[in-house]
Amino acid sequence: MPENTVTPPAGRLVLLNPGPVNVHDDVRAAMTSPDQCHREPEAAALMARVREKATLLSGGDDSCTSVLLAGSGTAALEATFSSIVPDDGRILILDNGNYGERLWRIVDVHGIPHRRMEFGWCNPIDVDAVDRALADDPGITHVGLVHHETSTGMLNPLREIGAVVARHGRQLAVDAISSLGSERLDLRDDNIDWCVGTANKCVEGLPGVSFVTAPRERLEQLEHVRAHTFYLDLHGHYISQDRLGAPLFTPALQVMTALEAALDRSLDEGVQGRGARYDALAEQVREGLAARGVRFLLPPAERANSVTNVYVPDGMTYDELHDGLKAEGYVVYSVQAQLGGVFRVANMGQLDATDIEGFLAAYDRVVGKYAGPGI
Ligand SMILES: *Cc1c(COP(=O)(O)O)cnc(C)c1O
Protein backbone atom coordinates (compact mmCIF):
# COMPACT_ATOMS: atom_id res chain seq x y z
CA MET A 1 0.00 0.00 0.00
CA PRO A 2 1.45 3.38 -0.91
CA GLU A 3 1.44 5.73 2.03
CA ASN A 4 -0.77 8.65 1.31
CA THR A 5 -0.80 11.37 3.85
CA VAL A 6 -1.78 14.15 1.48
CA THR A 7 -5.19 15.70 1.76
CA PRO A 8 -6.26 17.18 -1.54
CA PRO A 9 -8.47 20.26 -1.52
CA ALA A 10 -12.20 19.63 -1.50
CA GLY A 11 -13.82 19.44 -4.92
CA ARG A 12 -12.52 18.24 -8.24
CA LEU A 13 -9.08 16.62 -8.40
CA VAL A 14 -7.37 17.31 -11.72
CA LEU A 15 -6.16 13.92 -12.95
CA LEU A 16 -2.88 14.22 -14.84
CA ASN A 17 -2.27 10.47 -14.55
CA PRO A 18 -2.72 8.38 -17.74
CA GLY A 19 -6.19 7.12 -16.83
CA PRO A 20 -8.60 6.86 -15.15
CA VAL A 21 -9.46 10.35 -16.34
CA ASN A 22 -11.72 13.22 -15.40
CA VAL A 23 -14.99 12.42 -17.16
CA HIS A 24 -17.81 14.56 -18.51
CA ASP A 25 -20.82 15.01 -16.22
CA ASP A 26 -22.99 13.14 -18.75
CA VAL A 27 -20.73 10.11 -18.42
CA ARG A 28 -20.85 10.14 -14.63
CA ALA A 29 -24.62 10.69 -14.65
CA ALA A 30 -25.09 7.64 -16.89
CA MET A 31 -23.83 5.47 -14.01
CA THR A 32 -27.01 6.18 -12.09
CA SER A 33 -29.23 4.53 -14.69
CA PRO A 34 -32.09 2.40 -13.28
CA ASP A 35 -31.26 -1.01 -11.82
CA GLN A 36 -31.50 -3.75 -14.38
CA CYS A 37 -31.07 -7.47 -15.01
CA HIS A 38 -28.32 -8.47 -17.40
CA ARG A 39 -30.40 -11.20 -19.04
CA GLU A 40 -33.23 -8.96 -20.21
CA PRO A 41 -33.65 -7.48 -23.71
CA GLU A 42 -32.74 -3.94 -22.60
CA ALA A 43 -29.33 -5.15 -21.37
CA ALA A 44 -28.81 -7.03 -24.64
CA ALA A 45 -29.70 -3.86 -26.55
CA LEU A 46 -27.24 -1.80 -24.48
CA MET A 47 -24.44 -4.28 -25.14
CA ALA A 48 -25.23 -4.39 -28.86
CA ARG A 49 -25.09 -0.58 -29.08
CA VAL A 50 -21.84 -0.34 -27.12
CA ARG A 51 -20.24 -3.02 -29.28
CA GLU A 52 -21.24 -1.18 -32.42
CA LYS A 53 -19.99 2.19 -31.19
CA ALA A 54 -16.69 0.72 -30.04
CA THR A 55 -16.28 -0.82 -33.49
CA LEU A 56 -16.97 2.54 -35.17
CA LEU A 57 -14.41 4.31 -33.00
CA SER A 58 -11.77 1.74 -34.01
CA GLY A 59 -12.48 2.33 -37.70
CA GLY A 60 -14.15 -1.04 -38.17
CA ASP A 61 -16.82 -1.47 -40.85
CA ASP A 62 -19.73 -3.92 -41.00
CA SER A 63 -17.38 -6.85 -41.38
CA CYS A 64 -15.97 -6.12 -37.90
CA THR A 65 -17.40 -6.29 -34.43
CA SER A 66 -16.41 -5.86 -30.79
CA VAL A 67 -16.51 -8.13 -27.76
CA LEU A 68 -16.99 -6.54 -24.33
CA LEU A 69 -15.21 -7.73 -21.20
CA ALA A 70 -15.83 -6.79 -17.59
CA GLY A 71 -12.50 -5.68 -16.18
CA SER A 72 -9.79 -3.11 -16.78
CA GLY A 73 -7.82 -2.97 -20.02
CA THR A 74 -5.63 -5.88 -19.01
CA ALA A 75 -8.70 -8.17 -18.97
CA ALA A 76 -9.28 -7.55 -22.68
CA LEU A 77 -5.53 -7.87 -23.34
CA GLU A 78 -5.37 -11.19 -21.56
CA ALA A 79 -8.56 -12.45 -23.28
CA THR A 80 -7.01 -11.58 -26.64
CA PHE A 81 -3.44 -12.69 -26.21
CA SER A 82 -4.43 -15.96 -24.50
CA SER A 83 -7.11 -16.80 -27.09
CA ILE A 84 -5.82 -16.06 -30.58
CA VAL A 85 -2.63 -18.10 -31.02
CA PRO A 86 -3.15 -21.78 -31.92
CA ASP A 87 -0.95 -24.46 -30.42
CA ASP A 88 1.01 -24.77 -33.66
CA GLY A 89 1.38 -20.99 -34.06
CA ARG A 90 3.74 -18.48 -32.45
CA ILE A 91 3.45 -14.81 -31.54
CA LEU A 92 6.20 -12.24 -31.90
CA ILE A 93 5.97 -9.69 -29.08
CA LEU A 94 7.44 -6.26 -29.82
CA ASP A 95 8.61 -4.83 -26.52
CA ASN A 96 9.90 -1.30 -25.91
CA GLY A 97 8.48 -0.51 -22.51
CA ASN A 98 6.36 -1.65 -19.60
CA TYR A 99 3.28 -2.52 -21.66
CA GLY A 100 5.26 -4.41 -24.29
CA GLU A 101 6.68 -6.37 -21.37
CA ARG A 102 3.11 -6.94 -20.12
CA LEU A 103 2.14 -8.54 -23.46
CA TRP A 104 5.12 -10.85 -23.07
CA ARG A 105 4.14 -11.68 -19.47
CA ILE A 106 0.62 -12.59 -20.58
CA VAL A 107 1.71 -15.02 -23.31
CA ASP A 108 4.42 -16.38 -21.05
CA VAL A 109 2.08 -17.14 -18.14
CA HIS A 110 -0.34 -18.95 -20.46
CA GLY A 111 2.41 -20.99 -22.11
CA ILE A 112 1.64 -19.51 -25.54
CA PRO A 113 4.48 -20.17 -28.03
CA HIS A 114 6.20 -16.83 -28.50
CA ARG A 115 9.29 -14.87 -29.32
CA ARG A 116 10.04 -11.60 -27.58
CA MET A 117 11.90 -8.83 -29.40
CA GLU A 118 13.22 -6.31 -26.91
CA PHE A 119 14.21 -2.91 -28.22
CA GLY A 120 14.83 -1.33 -24.82
CA TRP A 121 12.75 1.26 -23.01
CA CYS A 122 12.66 4.60 -24.85
CA ASN A 123 14.01 3.08 -28.06
CA PRO A 124 11.80 3.14 -31.15
CA ILE A 125 10.74 -0.18 -32.64
CA ASP A 126 12.98 -1.05 -35.57
CA VAL A 127 10.48 -1.82 -38.35
CA ASP A 128 13.14 -3.32 -40.61
CA ALA A 129 14.15 -5.72 -37.84
CA VAL A 130 10.52 -6.79 -37.53
CA ASP A 131 10.37 -7.28 -41.29
CA ARG A 132 13.51 -9.46 -41.19
CA ALA A 133 12.25 -11.47 -38.21
CA LEU A 134 9.05 -12.31 -40.08
CA ALA A 135 10.93 -13.15 -43.27
CA ASP A 136 13.35 -15.42 -41.36
CA ASP A 137 10.76 -17.25 -39.30
CA PRO A 138 7.67 -18.55 -41.11
CA GLY A 139 6.55 -20.18 -37.85
CA ILE A 140 5.48 -16.77 -36.48
CA THR A 141 1.75 -16.47 -37.07
CA HIS A 142 0.94 -13.38 -34.98
CA VAL A 143 2.59 -10.13 -33.93
CA GLY A 144 1.78 -8.22 -30.72
CA LEU A 145 2.31 -4.47 -30.57
CA VAL A 146 1.57 -1.67 -28.11
CA HIS A 147 0.44 1.42 -30.04
CA HIS A 148 1.05 4.05 -27.39
CA GLU A 149 3.65 2.72 -24.94
CA THR A 150 2.25 4.65 -21.98
CA SER A 151 5.24 3.99 -19.70
CA THR A 152 7.55 6.18 -21.77
CA GLY A 153 4.87 8.12 -23.66
CA MET A 154 6.14 6.85 -27.01
CA LEU A 155 3.81 6.41 -29.98
CA ASN A 156 4.90 3.32 -31.91
CA PRO A 157 4.70 3.18 -35.74
CA LEU A 158 1.44 1.24 -36.04
CA ARG A 159 0.81 1.91 -39.71
CA GLU A 160 4.30 0.85 -40.81
CA ILE A 161 4.26 -2.29 -38.68
CA GLY A 162 0.72 -3.13 -39.81
CA ALA A 163 1.84 -2.92 -43.44
CA VAL A 164 4.84 -5.20 -42.79
CA VAL A 165 2.83 -7.77 -40.87
CA ALA A 166 0.11 -7.82 -43.56
CA ARG A 167 2.70 -8.18 -46.33
CA HIS A 168 3.99 -11.29 -44.57
CA GLY A 169 0.44 -12.61 -44.16
CA ARG A 170 0.55 -12.70 -40.35
CA GLN A 171 -2.01 -11.36 -37.85
CA LEU A 172 -1.47 -8.16 -35.88
CA ALA A 173 -2.80 -7.77 -32.32
CA VAL A 174 -2.60 -4.22 -30.98
CA ASP A 175 -2.81 -2.88 -27.45
CA ALA A 176 -4.52 0.41 -28.30
CA ILE A 177 -5.61 1.00 -24.72
CA SER A 178 -4.02 4.44 -24.35
CA SER A 179 -4.34 5.58 -27.96
CA LEU A 180 -7.84 4.64 -29.08
CA GLY A 181 -9.99 7.76 -29.18
CA SER A 182 -7.24 10.34 -29.63
CA GLU A 183 -4.55 8.96 -31.93
CA ARG A 184 -5.09 8.06 -35.57
CA LEU A 185 -5.92 4.36 -35.70
CA ASP A 186 -7.96 2.47 -38.22
CA LEU A 187 -8.61 -1.24 -38.17
CA ARG A 188 -8.62 -1.47 -41.97
CA ASP A 189 -5.97 1.08 -42.99
CA ASP A 190 -3.58 -0.07 -40.29
CA ASN A 191 -4.13 -3.79 -41.03
CA ILE A 192 -5.12 -4.57 -37.46
CA ASP A 193 -6.59 -8.00 -36.81
CA TRP A 194 -7.15 -7.55 -33.07
CA CYS A 195 -7.55 -4.15 -31.46
CA VAL A 196 -7.77 -3.90 -27.68
CA GLY A 197 -9.27 -0.82 -26.03
CA THR A 198 -10.58 0.29 -22.67
CA ALA A 199 -13.21 2.64 -21.31
CA ASN A 200 -11.21 4.89 -19.05
CA LYS A 201 -8.36 6.41 -21.03
CA CYS A 202 -8.74 8.42 -24.26
CA VAL A 203 -12.32 7.14 -24.68
CA GLU A 204 -13.05 9.14 -21.48
CA GLY A 205 -15.32 6.63 -19.76
CA LEU A 206 -15.06 5.05 -16.30
CA PRO A 207 -12.94 2.01 -15.37
CA GLY A 208 -14.43 -1.50 -15.41
CA VAL A 209 -15.14 -2.36 -19.05
CA SER A 210 -12.69 -3.14 -21.84
CA PHE A 211 -13.18 -4.47 -25.35
CA VAL A 212 -11.63 -6.17 -28.36
CA THR A 213 -12.50 -5.19 -31.93
CA ALA A 214 -11.78 -7.54 -34.84
CA PRO A 215 -13.03 -8.69 -38.22
CA ARG A 216 -15.84 -11.20 -37.61
CA GLU A 217 -13.96 -13.69 -39.74
CA ARG A 218 -11.10 -13.66 -37.23
CA LEU A 219 -13.47 -14.17 -34.30
CA GLU A 220 -15.17 -17.05 -36.10
CA GLN A 221 -11.81 -18.72 -36.72
CA LEU A 222 -11.21 -18.89 -32.96
CA GLU A 223 -13.54 -21.86 -32.89
CA HIS A 224 -10.50 -23.92 -33.81
CA VAL A 225 -8.16 -22.39 -31.23
CA ARG A 226 -7.94 -23.83 -27.73
CA ALA A 227 -8.80 -21.35 -24.98
CA HIS A 228 -6.28 -21.04 -22.15
CA THR A 229 -8.64 -19.55 -19.59
CA PHE A 230 -12.26 -20.13 -18.68
CA TYR A 231 -13.32 -16.58 -17.79
CA LEU A 232 -11.42 -14.80 -20.57
CA ASP A 233 -12.21 -17.18 -23.43
CA LEU A 234 -12.60 -14.64 -26.24
CA HIS A 235 -14.44 -16.98 -28.57
CA GLY A 236 -16.89 -17.89 -25.82
CA HIS A 237 -17.63 -14.22 -25.12
CA TYR A 238 -18.02 -13.52 -28.84
CA ILE A 239 -20.50 -16.37 -29.41
CA SER A 240 -22.45 -15.42 -26.34
CA GLN A 241 -22.67 -11.70 -27.16
CA ASP A 242 -23.07 -12.04 -30.91
CA ARG A 243 -25.16 -15.17 -31.45
CA LEU A 244 -27.00 -15.60 -28.19
CA GLY A 245 -27.44 -11.88 -27.49
CA ALA A 246 -26.58 -12.37 -23.84
CA PRO A 247 -23.39 -11.92 -21.86
CA LEU A 248 -21.38 -15.01 -20.89
CA PHE A 249 -21.09 -13.79 -17.29
CA THR A 250 -22.49 -10.81 -15.37
CA PRO A 251 -21.23 -7.67 -17.10
CA ALA A 252 -20.52 -4.31 -15.45
CA LEU A 253 -23.77 -2.85 -16.77
CA GLN A 254 -23.62 0.54 -15.07
CA VAL A 255 -20.05 1.12 -16.22
CA MET A 256 -21.16 0.05 -19.68
CA THR A 257 -23.94 2.64 -19.60
CA ALA A 258 -21.29 5.24 -18.83
CA LEU A 259 -19.14 3.82 -21.63
CA GLU A 260 -21.99 4.31 -24.08
CA ALA A 261 -22.23 7.97 -23.08
CA ALA A 262 -18.44 8.27 -23.44
CA LEU A 263 -18.47 6.60 -26.86
CA ASP A 264 -21.24 8.94 -28.01
CA ARG A 265 -19.11 11.90 -26.98
CA SER A 266 -16.01 10.36 -28.60
CA LEU A 267 -17.81 9.77 -31.89
CA ASP A 268 -19.29 13.29 -31.82
CA GLU A 269 -15.92 14.91 -31.22
CA GLY A 270 -14.23 12.49 -33.62
CA VAL A 271 -10.76 11.02 -33.24
CA GLN A 272 -9.32 13.94 -35.19
CA GLY A 273 -11.11 16.52 -33.07
CA ARG A 274 -10.09 14.87 -29.84
CA GLY A 275 -6.56 14.46 -31.14
CA ALA A 276 -6.42 18.19 -31.87
CA ARG A 277 -7.75 18.99 -28.38
CA TYR A 278 -5.14 16.71 -26.77
CA ASP A 279 -2.39 18.11 -29.01
CA ALA A 280 -3.15 21.61 -27.76
CA LEU A 281 -3.18 20.53 -24.10
CA ALA A 282 0.03 18.53 -24.52
CA GLU A 283 1.64 21.53 -26.18
CA GLN A 284 0.64 23.71 -23.25
CA VAL A 285 2.13 21.21 -20.78
CA ARG A 286 5.32 20.87 -22.83
CA GLU A 287 5.87 24.58 -23.45
CA GLY A 288 5.12 25.34 -19.84
CA LEU A 289 7.55 22.76 -18.51
CA ALA A 290 10.22 23.61 -21.11
CA ALA A 291 10.05 27.25 -19.97
CA ARG A 292 10.76 25.97 -16.45
CA GLY A 293 13.93 24.24 -17.61
CA VAL A 294 12.61 20.71 -17.25
CA ARG A 295 14.29 17.85 -19.16
CA PHE A 296 12.08 15.62 -21.32
CA LEU A 297 12.49 11.86 -21.65
CA LEU A 298 11.69 11.63 -25.38
CA PRO A 299 12.31 13.84 -28.41
CA PRO A 300 9.14 15.63 -29.58
CA ALA A 301 8.56 13.50 -32.71
CA GLU A 302 8.29 10.29 -30.68
CA ARG A 303 5.69 11.50 -28.19
CA ALA A 304 2.03 10.52 -28.17
CA ASN A 305 -0.48 13.34 -27.75
CA SER A 306 -1.63 12.39 -24.27
CA VAL A 307 1.46 11.75 -22.10
CA THR A 308 4.59 13.79 -21.36
CA ASN A 309 7.47 12.21 -19.44
CA VAL A 310 9.86 14.58 -17.72
CA TYR A 311 12.62 14.40 -15.14
CA VAL A 312 11.88 15.42 -11.56
CA PRO A 313 13.71 18.72 -10.94
CA ASP A 314 17.01 18.57 -9.05
CA GLY A 315 16.85 18.96 -5.31
CA MET A 316 13.60 17.09 -4.74
CA THR A 317 12.16 13.58 -4.95
CA TYR A 318 9.21 12.34 -6.96
CA ASP A 319 7.21 11.83 -3.77
CA GLU A 320 7.80 15.40 -2.68
CA LEU A 321 6.68 16.67 -6.07
CA HIS A 322 3.65 14.35 -6.21
CA ASP A 323 2.49 15.10 -2.67
CA GLY A 324 2.97 18.83 -3.04
CA LEU A 325 0.95 18.88 -6.25
CA LYS A 326 -1.74 16.62 -4.84
CA ALA A 327 -2.21 18.94 -1.87
CA GLU A 328 -3.01 21.59 -4.47
CA GLY A 329 -5.46 19.31 -6.32
CA TYR A 330 -3.29 17.94 -9.16
CA VAL A 331 -2.37 14.26 -9.54
CA VAL A 332 0.77 13.45 -11.55
CA TYR A 333 2.04 9.91 -12.06
CA SER A 334 5.23 8.01 -11.43
CA VAL A 335 6.97 5.78 -13.94
CA GLN A 336 8.04 2.17 -13.41
CA ALA A 337 11.33 1.70 -11.56
CA GLN A 338 13.27 1.34 -14.84
CA LEU A 339 12.91 5.07 -15.39
CA GLY A 340 13.82 6.38 -11.95
CA GLY A 341 13.62 10.14 -11.53
CA VAL A 342 11.03 10.58 -14.26
CA PHE A 343 7.38 11.49 -13.82
CA ARG A 344 4.41 11.64 -16.15
CA VAL A 345 1.94 14.36 -16.91
CA ALA A 346 -0.99 13.06 -18.91
CA ASN A 347 -3.60 15.22 -20.59
CA MET A 348 -6.32 12.65 -21.22
CA GLY A 349 -9.91 13.34 -20.29
CA GLN A 350 -12.05 16.38 -19.67
CA LEU A 351 -9.32 18.95 -19.07
CA ASP A 352 -9.00 22.47 -20.36
CA ALA A 353 -6.37 25.17 -20.63
CA THR A 354 -7.26 26.50 -17.17
CA ASP A 355 -6.46 23.12 -15.63
CA ILE A 356 -3.01 23.12 -17.22
CA GLU A 357 -2.39 26.74 -16.18
CA GLY A 358 -3.39 25.80 -12.65
CA PHE A 359 -1.05 22.81 -12.71
CA LEU A 360 1.90 24.92 -13.90
CA ALA A 361 1.25 27.52 -11.19
CA ALA A 362 1.04 24.77 -8.54
CA TYR A 363 4.24 23.25 -9.95
CA ASP A 364 6.02 26.57 -9.44
CA ARG A 365 4.89 26.80 -5.82
CA VAL A 366 5.86 23.22 -5.01
CA VAL A 367 9.22 23.29 -6.80
CA GLY A 368 9.93 26.76 -5.38
CA LYS A 369 9.85 25.31 -1.86
CA TYR A 370 12.74 22.98 -2.68
CA ALA A 371 14.79 24.94 -5.17
CA GLY A 372 15.80 27.67 -2.74
CA PRO A 373 16.59 31.27 -3.62
CA GLY A 374 17.63 32.19 -7.13
CA ILE A 375 14.93 30.23 -8.95
C1 LIG B 1 -3.44 1.42 -18.97
C2 LIG B 1 -2.85 0.48 -19.95
C3 LIG B 1 -3.13 -0.89 -19.92
C4 LIG B 1 -4.09 -1.55 -18.97
O1 LIG B 1 -4.04 -1.22 -17.68
P1 LIG B 1 -5.28 -1.53 -16.74
O2 LIG B 1 -4.79 -1.09 -15.42
O3 LIG B 1 -5.57 -2.97 -16.81
O4 LIG B 1 -6.43 -0.72 -17.27
C5 LIG B 1 -2.57 -1.70 -20.89
N1 LIG B 1 -1.80 -1.19 -21.86
C6 LIG B 1 -1.53 0.12 -21.95
C7 LIG B 1 -0.69 0.61 -23.08
C8 LIG B 1 -2.03 1.00 -21.00
O5 LIG B 1 -1.76 2.30 -21.07
Side-chain angles (χ1 to χ4, degrees), residues 33 94 127 169 186 197 200 272 279 289 291 296 308 319 338 347-348 372:
S33 54
L94 308 180
V127 182
D186 188 286
N200 59 281
Q272 245 188 323
D279 274 339
L289 289 174
F296 293 85
T308 303
D319 286 342
Q338 284 85 334
N347 52 270
M348 298 172 183

PDB file of all heavy atoms in Angstrom, residues 33 94 127 169 186 197 200 272 279 289 291 296 308 319 338 347-348 372:
ATOM      1  N   SER A  33     -28.085   5.034 -13.932  1.00  0.00           N
ATOM      2  CA  SER A  33     -29.230   4.533 -14.686  1.00  0.00           C
ATOM      3  C   SER A  33     -30.016   3.555 -13.803  1.00  0.00           C
ATOM      4  O   SER A  33     -29.470   3.028 -12.831  1.00  0.00           O
ATOM      5  CB  SER A  33     -28.733   3.845 -15.953  1.00  0.00           C
ATOM      6  OG  SER A  33     -27.782   2.871 -15.609  1.00  0.00           O
ATOM      7  N   LEU A  94       6.545  -7.406 -29.642  1.00  0.00           N
ATOM      8  CA  LEU A  94       7.438  -6.258 -29.818  1.00  0.00           C
ATOM      9  C   LEU A  94       7.408  -5.453 -28.522  1.00  0.00           C
ATOM     10  O   LEU A  94       6.358  -4.949 -28.121  1.00  0.00           O
ATOM     11  CB  LEU A  94       6.974  -5.409 -31.007  1.00  0.00           C
ATOM     12  CG  LEU A  94       6.768  -6.194 -32.312  1.00  0.00           C
ATOM     13  CD1 LEU A  94       6.299  -5.271 -33.431  1.00  0.00           C
ATOM     14  CD2 LEU A  94       8.050  -6.928 -32.713  1.00  0.00           C
ATOM     15  N   VAL A 127      11.435  -1.154 -37.447  1.00  0.00           N
ATOM     16  CA  VAL A 127      10.475  -1.819 -38.352  1.00  0.00           C
ATOM     17  C   VAL A 127      11.192  -2.788 -39.288  1.00  0.00           C
ATOM     18  O   VAL A 127      10.685  -3.871 -39.585  1.00  0.00           O
ATOM     19  CB  VAL A 127       9.659  -0.763 -39.141  1.00  0.00           C
ATOM     20  CG1 VAL A 127       8.628  -1.440 -40.049  1.00  0.00           C
ATOM     21  CG2 VAL A 127       8.946   0.194 -38.180  1.00  0.00           C
ATOM     22  N   GLY A 169       1.603 -11.740 -44.362  1.00  0.00           N
ATOM     23  CA  GLY A 169       0.441 -12.609 -44.158  1.00  0.00           C
ATOM     24  C   GLY A 169       0.268 -13.100 -42.728  1.00  0.00           C
ATOM     25  O   GLY A 169      -0.278 -14.169 -42.495  1.00  0.00           O
ATOM     26  N   ASP A 186      -6.883   2.948 -37.375  1.00  0.00           N
ATOM     27  CA  ASP A 186      -7.962   2.473 -38.218  1.00  0.00           C
ATOM     28  C   ASP A 186      -7.757   0.995 -38.504  1.00  0.00           C
ATOM     29  O   ASP A 186      -6.758   0.602 -39.100  1.00  0.00           O
ATOM     30  CB  ASP A 186      -7.975   3.291 -39.524  1.00  0.00           C
ATOM     31  CG  ASP A 186      -9.190   2.969 -40.360  1.00  0.00           C
ATOM     32  OD1 ASP A 186      -9.234   1.878 -40.964  1.00  0.00           O
ATOM     33  OD2 ASP A 186     -10.103   3.808 -40.397  1.00  0.00           O
ATOM     34  N   GLY A 197      -9.040  -2.156 -26.590  1.00  0.00           N
ATOM     35  CA  GLY A 197      -9.268  -0.821 -26.033  1.00  0.00           C
ATOM     36  C   GLY A 197      -9.893  -0.897 -24.657  1.00  0.00           C
ATOM     37  O   GLY A 197     -10.319  -1.967 -24.204  1.00  0.00           O
ATOM     38  N   ASN A 200     -11.553   3.762 -19.916  1.00  0.00           N
ATOM     39  CA  ASN A 200     -11.207   4.888 -19.047  1.00  0.00           C
ATOM     40  C   ASN A 200      -9.920   5.636 -19.390  1.00  0.00           C
ATOM     41  O   ASN A 200      -9.311   6.244 -18.530  1.00  0.00           O
ATOM     42  CB  ASN A 200     -11.128   4.404 -17.597  1.00  0.00           C
ATOM     43  CG  ASN A 200     -10.101   3.322 -17.413  1.00  0.00           C
ATOM     44  OD1 ASN A 200     -10.353   2.156 -17.730  1.00  0.00           O
ATOM     45  ND2 ASN A 200      -8.934   3.677 -16.951  1.00  0.00           N
ATOM     46  N   GLN A 272     -10.135  12.791 -34.770  1.00  0.00           N
ATOM     47  CA  GLN A 272      -9.317  13.937 -35.187  1.00  0.00           C
ATOM     48  C   GLN A 272      -9.526  15.141 -34.274  1.00  0.00           C
ATOM     49  O   GLN A 272      -8.572  15.807 -33.868  1.00  0.00           O
ATOM     50  CB  GLN A 272      -9.702  14.338 -36.602  1.00  0.00           C
ATOM     51  CG  GLN A 272      -8.579  14.144 -37.584  1.00  0.00           C
ATOM     52  CD  GLN A 272      -8.952  14.729 -38.929  1.00  0.00           C
ATOM     53  OE1 GLN A 272     -10.108  14.650 -39.363  1.00  0.00           O
ATOM     54  NE2 GLN A 272      -7.982  15.324 -39.588  1.00  0.00           N
ATOM     55  N   ASP A 279      -3.634  17.489 -28.515  1.00  0.00           N
ATOM     56  CA  ASP A 279      -2.389  18.113 -29.014  1.00  0.00           C
ATOM     57  C   ASP A 279      -2.180  19.474 -28.357  1.00  0.00           C
ATOM     58  O   ASP A 279      -1.077  19.804 -27.924  1.00  0.00           O
ATOM     59  CB  ASP A 279      -2.482  18.349 -30.539  1.00  0.00           C
ATOM     60  CG  ASP A 279      -2.064  17.126 -31.344  1.00  0.00           C
ATOM     61  OD1 ASP A 279      -1.347  16.263 -30.797  1.00  0.00           O
ATOM     62  OD2 ASP A 279      -2.462  17.036 -32.521  1.00  0.00           O
ATOM     63  N   LEU A 289       6.460  23.424 -19.236  1.00  0.00           N
ATOM     64  CA  LEU A 289       7.546  22.761 -18.514  1.00  0.00           C
ATOM     65  C   LEU A 289       8.901  23.110 -19.128  1.00  0.00           C
ATOM     66  O   LEU A 289       9.893  23.289 -18.403  1.00  0.00           O
ATOM     67  CB  LEU A 289       7.324  21.246 -18.495  1.00  0.00           C
ATOM     68  CG  LEU A 289       6.162  20.781 -17.604  1.00  0.00           C
ATOM     69  CD1 LEU A 289       5.924  19.277 -17.754  1.00  0.00           C
ATOM     70  CD2 LEU A 289       6.417  21.123 -16.127  1.00  0.00           C
ATOM     71  N   ALA A 291       9.717  25.905 -20.454  1.00  0.00           N
ATOM     72  CA  ALA A 291      10.045  27.247 -19.972  1.00  0.00           C
ATOM     73  C   ALA A 291      10.584  27.205 -18.546  1.00  0.00           C
ATOM     74  O   ALA A 291      11.269  28.124 -18.102  1.00  0.00           O
ATOM     75  CB  ALA A 291       8.803  28.132 -20.038  1.00  0.00           C
ATOM     76  N   PHE A 296      13.077  16.583 -20.830  1.00  0.00           N
ATOM     77  CA  PHE A 296      12.082  15.623 -21.319  1.00  0.00           C
ATOM     78  C   PHE A 296      12.739  14.274 -21.571  1.00  0.00           C
ATOM     79  O   PHE A 296      13.913  14.205 -21.936  1.00  0.00           O
ATOM     80  CB  PHE A 296      11.455  16.130 -22.621  1.00  0.00           C
ATOM     81  CG  PHE A 296      10.624  17.374 -22.420  1.00  0.00           C
ATOM     82  CD1 PHE A 296      11.210  18.637 -22.418  1.00  0.00           C
ATOM     83  CD2 PHE A 296       9.260  17.269 -22.203  1.00  0.00           C
ATOM     84  CE1 PHE A 296      10.439  19.779 -22.209  1.00  0.00           C
ATOM     85  CE2 PHE A 296       8.487  18.405 -21.996  1.00  0.00           C
ATOM     86  CZ  PHE A 296       9.081  19.661 -21.999  1.00  0.00           C
ATOM     87  N   THR A 308       3.279  13.143 -21.304  1.00  0.00           N
ATOM     88  CA  THR A 308       4.593  13.786 -21.364  1.00  0.00           C
ATOM     89  C   THR A 308       5.430  13.280 -20.192  1.00  0.00           C
ATOM     90  O   THR A 308       5.001  13.390 -19.041  1.00  0.00           O
ATOM     91  CB  THR A 308       4.435  15.325 -21.265  1.00  0.00           C
ATOM     92  OG1 THR A 308       3.565  15.766 -22.312  1.00  0.00           O
ATOM     93  CG2 THR A 308       5.789  16.016 -21.396  1.00  0.00           C
ATOM     94  N   ASP A 319       8.276  11.795  -4.787  1.00  0.00           N
ATOM     95  CA  ASP A 319       7.214  11.826  -3.773  1.00  0.00           C
ATOM     96  C   ASP A 319       6.934  13.245  -3.290  1.00  0.00           C
ATOM     97  O   ASP A 319       5.781  13.615  -3.073  1.00  0.00           O
ATOM     98  CB  ASP A 319       7.592  10.939  -2.575  1.00  0.00           C
ATOM     99  CG  ASP A 319       7.459   9.457  -2.924  1.00  0.00           C
ATOM    100  OD1 ASP A 319       6.769   9.145  -3.932  1.00  0.00           O
ATOM    101  OD2 ASP A 319       8.061   8.625  -2.218  1.00  0.00           O
ATOM    102  N   GLN A 338      12.239   1.266 -13.791  1.00  0.00           N
ATOM    103  CA  GLN A 338      13.266   1.339 -14.840  1.00  0.00           C
ATOM    104  C   GLN A 338      13.620   2.778 -15.205  1.00  0.00           C
ATOM    105  O   GLN A 338      14.708   3.057 -15.696  1.00  0.00           O
ATOM    106  CB  GLN A 338      12.786   0.625 -16.114  1.00  0.00           C
ATOM    107  CG  GLN A 338      12.829  -0.872 -16.056  1.00  0.00           C
ATOM    108  CD  GLN A 338      11.574  -1.458 -15.416  1.00  0.00           C
ATOM    109  OE1 GLN A 338      10.915  -0.802 -14.624  1.00  0.00           O
ATOM    110  NE2 GLN A 338      11.271  -2.697 -15.729  1.00  0.00           N
ATOM    111  N   ASN A 347      -2.547  14.232 -20.328  1.00  0.00           N
ATOM    112  CA  ASN A 347      -3.602  15.218 -20.586  1.00  0.00           C
ATOM    113  C   ASN A 347      -4.795  14.547 -21.262  1.00  0.00           C
ATOM    114  O   ASN A 347      -5.373  15.071 -22.199  1.00  0.00           O
ATOM    115  CB  ASN A 347      -3.054  16.393 -21.414  1.00  0.00           C
ATOM    116  CG  ASN A 347      -2.343  15.951 -22.675  1.00  0.00           C
ATOM    117  OD1 ASN A 347      -1.139  15.710 -22.676  1.00  0.00           O
ATOM    118  ND2 ASN A 347      -3.091  15.791 -23.758  1.00  0.00           N
ATOM    119  N   MET A 348      -5.128  13.358 -20.733  1.00  0.00           N
ATOM    120  CA  MET A 348      -6.318  12.654 -21.218  1.00  0.00           C
ATOM    121  C   MET A 348      -7.527  13.179 -20.442  1.00  0.00           C
ATOM    122  O   MET A 348      -7.395  13.603 -19.311  1.00  0.00           O
ATOM    123  CB  MET A 348      -6.221  11.157 -20.884  1.00  0.00           C
ATOM    124  CG  MET A 348      -5.066  10.435 -21.516  1.00  0.00           C
ATOM    125  SD  MET A 348      -4.970   8.750 -20.841  1.00  0.00           S
ATOM    126  CE  MET A 348      -3.485   8.176 -21.681  1.00  0.00           C
ATOM    127  N   GLY A 372      15.049  26.643  -3.459  1.00  0.00           N
ATOM    128  CA  GLY A 372      15.799  27.668  -2.736  1.00  0.00           C
ATOM    129  C   GLY A 372      15.844  28.957  -3.514  1.00  0.00           C
ATOM    130  O   GLY A 372      15.249  29.073  -4.584  1.00  0.00           O
TER     131      GLY A 372
END
